Amino acid sequence: MRARLPYLASLGVDAVWLSPIHPSPNVDWGYDVADYLDVHDDYGSLADADALIADARRLGLDVWLDLVPNHTSDRHPWFADRPEYYVWSDQVPNDWRSIFTGGSAWNWDARRKRYYLHQFAPQQPDLDWWSPDVREEFDRILRFWFDRGIRGVRIDVAHGIVKDRELRDGIEHMRNRPEVHDVFARWQRVASEYDPKPTLMGETYVSLDQMYGYWRHLDLVQNFAFVRAEFELEELRPIVEQTMAHLPPGRRPCWFGSNHDHSRMATRWAGGDEAVHRAALFLILTLPGVAILYQGDELGLEDGVVPPERILDLADPPRDPERTPLPWTRSGEEWRDPWLPLDNTERNVEGQEGDADSILEYTRGLLRERARFTDDGYRTLPSATGVWAYARGGRTCVLNLTEDVAGHEGLVLQPWEGRII
Ligand code: NOJ
């Protein structure tokens, strides 16, 4: 990872968000944490993390961690030693269902002779965020990493960590509870002890209407309405307009098209079509606020093909196709024993580096333009059908979201072409 930091810096990004790095049985790709205060052996040691943070800092990059506060691994020592940190019930108390198994979210624990809650896999027991001790543990965890120089956290299942205290029926009592904001207010106080203040970004897997409230105490709120939309003007533009209309002063929106839980945008949005993928990059990188690129987006990397015997993920359908390695070279020899197969190296870093016509150089060019935008406002401008025009950063962005040649104020736009004027 340290060796690849110069590549990230050369892209022109500001920060790198790591997927979970902690010791974990990896039932859920590290989202089942067995120790929040250490690094998984596969990745190295705490000293390696420190060195990574220091190298990144020298290159002008911040390192962000993926923090998983909703649940731990059932192998976390707390599950044995501090059972009061978790959510228990003598009977199955409600109709809550596990996202992974589809069955009841309650699992019988033979040792305690009680049921514990797991929104995700049975090996991921949910923490009880009504417990003051749990809150204090996480204050310590945050300080531990902020002290080491971590400049931001992506908060896993941010909308779901506090459950209804009475465990009432209904999904609305398992997730998106109003009390969750108290936790983030508290974390803002912890973050404010540091200068610069680390960024709190929520994985807010909620509808657009529900998303706005999370801006109260989170710096960044991930926009899942956007990522889940079809790549069509009629779907995306209203989402952007509504998001901007609700944005409180001092907050920034946050856009992305791919992550480790969703088919990569080169596949899902573009269906492998390079021009459509470039249009998606154009949009994400010219909208105001914060843009997140997932590894390989900058190359047009599509989902990998993972044969059934190599599937690791417990979700159905498995998320492995979007988790395959990033090809650095055409031969792929840099990956000796990757966690998932590397089946297609056609779009790779080495092959695109320095090629002015490549998606990689297109992405770099957009990031350079983006850095020159003068403000973070957004205004939809009148345009022809299928063309999205907006004022942004003192410039005008126009994007043709059709398969036909289109026009905008004398400009001729090729199918899917974006222009900053
Ligand atoms: C969201 C993460 O992004 C996903 O990968 C994980 O399976 C669940 N949260 C549970 O932690």
Side-chain angles (χ1 to χ4, degrees):
M1 287 167 65
R2 289 171 65 190
R4 301 301 185 184
L5 286 172
Y7 167 75
L8 291 178
S10 80
L11 279 179
V13 300
D14 309 298
V16 53
W17 148 31
L18 307 177
S19 29
I21 62 167
H22 306 298
S24 164
N26 277 336
V27 166
D28 182 19
W29 213 45
Y31 288 97
D32 46 328
V33 175
D35 182 356
Y36 292 92
L37 305 180
D38 206 349
V39 173
H40 197 297
D41 283 345
D42 285 357
Y43 306 134
S45 62
L46 271 178
D48 291 319
D50 292 340
L52 174 76
I53 294 166
D55 284 1
R57 180 69 44 81
R58 275 191 287 276
L59 291 164
L61 294 168
D62 288 346
V63 180
W64 292 19
L65 287 191
D66 206 316
L67 180 73
V68 189
N70 179 70
H71 47 266
T72 70
S73 162
D74 60 353
R75 308 284 180 79
H76 193 296
W78 291 341
F79 197 53
D81 305 340
R82 306 300 302 262
E84 70 278 16
Y85 281 11
Y86 297 83
V87 187
W88 297 91
S89 180
D90 292 330
Q91 296 91 32
V92 172
N94 57 33
D95 62 358
W96 298 355
R97 307 194 84 72
S98 152
I99 288 164
F100 286 154
T101 69
S104 171
W106 297 91
N107 204 42
W108 176 251
D109 184 67
R111 177 168 39 178
R112 310 275 172 204
K113 306 217 169 356
R114 298 183 84 193
Y115 292 89
Y116 65 87
L117 177 68
H118 62 94
Q119 277 193 71
F120 295 90
Q123 300 92 330
Q124 293 168 296
D126 278 51
L127 287 163
D128 180 3
W129 275 89
W130 292 100
S131 154
D133 292 338
V134 167
R135 293 185 184 216
E136 272 170 32
E137 293 280 7
F138 274 85
D139 290 353
R140 278 195 283 277
I141 291 165
L142 286 171
R143 289 194 182 100
F144 178 87
W145 288 105
F146 294 161
D147 284 343
R148 302 192 101 87
I150 290 296
R151 288 270 176 88
V153 285
R154 175 268 192 182
I155 304 159
D156 189 57
V157 201
H159 55 297
I161 65 178
V162 183
K163 282 80 188 175
D164 178 39
R165 214 167 191 173
E166 290 153 42
L167 305 178
R168 284 172 289 184
D169 272 344
I171 181 104
E172 71 277 17
H173 293 302
M174 182 162 84
R175 292 199 271 276
N176 199 26
R177 298 283 315 160
E179 301 88 354
V180 76
H181 302 295
D182 302 338
V183 175
F184 303 138
R186 179 184 177 117
W187 289 3
Q188 283 294 355
R189 289 193 289 275
V190 174
S192 299
E193 294 164 15
Y194 296 82
D195 184 20
K197 187 188 81 61
T199 305
L200 304 182
M201 173 171 77
E203 187 212 16
T204 37
Y205 215 103
V206 293
S207 67
L208 206 51
D209 283 348
Q210 294 172 333
M211 187 187 83
Y212 309 130
Y214 286 86
W215 271 316
R216 274 170 65 197
H217 301 294
L218 291 177
D219 303 293
L220 295 174
V221 167
Q222 288 193 335
N223 196 321
F224 281 93
F226 182 86
V227 75
R228 295 172 88 170
E230 296 292 326
F231 193 65
E232 286 169 10
L233 180 59
E234 299 70 33
E235 283 210 27
L236 289 165
R237 189 164 59 186
I239 293 172
V240 169
E241 289 173 344
Q242 285 163 36
T243 302
M244 295 310 292
H246 285 86
L247 192 71
R251 290 283 189 247
R252 290 178 298 170
C254 172
W255 317 102
F256 58 100
S258 313
N259 76 11
H260 59 290
D261 296 328
H262 292 270
S263 166
R264 288 174 164 123
M265 67 187 199
T267 299
R268 196 183 77 263
W269 275 349
D273 184 318
E274 192 169 305
V276 182
H277 183 71
R278 283 174 191 247
L281 285 168
F282 181 92
L283 180 64
I284 288 171
L285 293 175
T286 58
L287 285 175
V290 169
I292 306 174
L293 294 179
Y294 182 55
Q295 51 105 334
D297 280 350
E298 77 280 21
L299 305 172
L301 188 65
E302 289 192 67
D303 292 342
V305 175
V306 183
E309 68 277 9
R310 291 290 304 269
I311 292 288
L312 295 175
D313 191 24
L314 40 63
D316 185 17
R319 296 163 293 181
D320 296 306
E322 58 259 30
R323 297 174 175 185
T324 52
L326 179 148
W328 297 93
T329 64
R330 184 70 170 105
S331 73
E333 67 196 348
E334 67 279 6
W335 290 112
R336 269 175 307 236
D337 183 21
W339 63 101
L340 287 168
L342 185 64
D343 68 292
N344 186 346
T345 59
E346 215 171 297
R347 289 179 177 156
N348 64 80
V349 174
E350 188 186 58
Q352 295 193 27
E353 191 93 56
D355 172 357
D357 296 331
S358 68
I359 300 180
L360 176 58
E361 296 305 338
Y362 178 72
T363 306
R364 282 191 174 132
L366 282 171
L367 279 156
R368 276 195 300 272
E369 285 292 327
R370 176 187 174 82
R372 290 207 285 268
F373 285 150
T374 51
D375 68 63
D376 235 2
Y378 168 92
R379 194 160 42 89
T380 298
L381 298 172
S383 57
T385 311
V387 174
W388 190 347
Y390 43 101
R392 154 81 166 107
R395 313 277 295 274
T396 295
C397 300
V398 269
L399 179 59
N400 178 4
L401 284 167
T402 73
E403 286 166 13
D404 304 310
V405 173
H408 183 81
E409 295 183 352
L411 259 188
V412 177
L413 295 166
Q414 296 305 312
W416 307 107
E417 187 185 333
R419 295 271 280 273
I420 304 172
I421 46 183

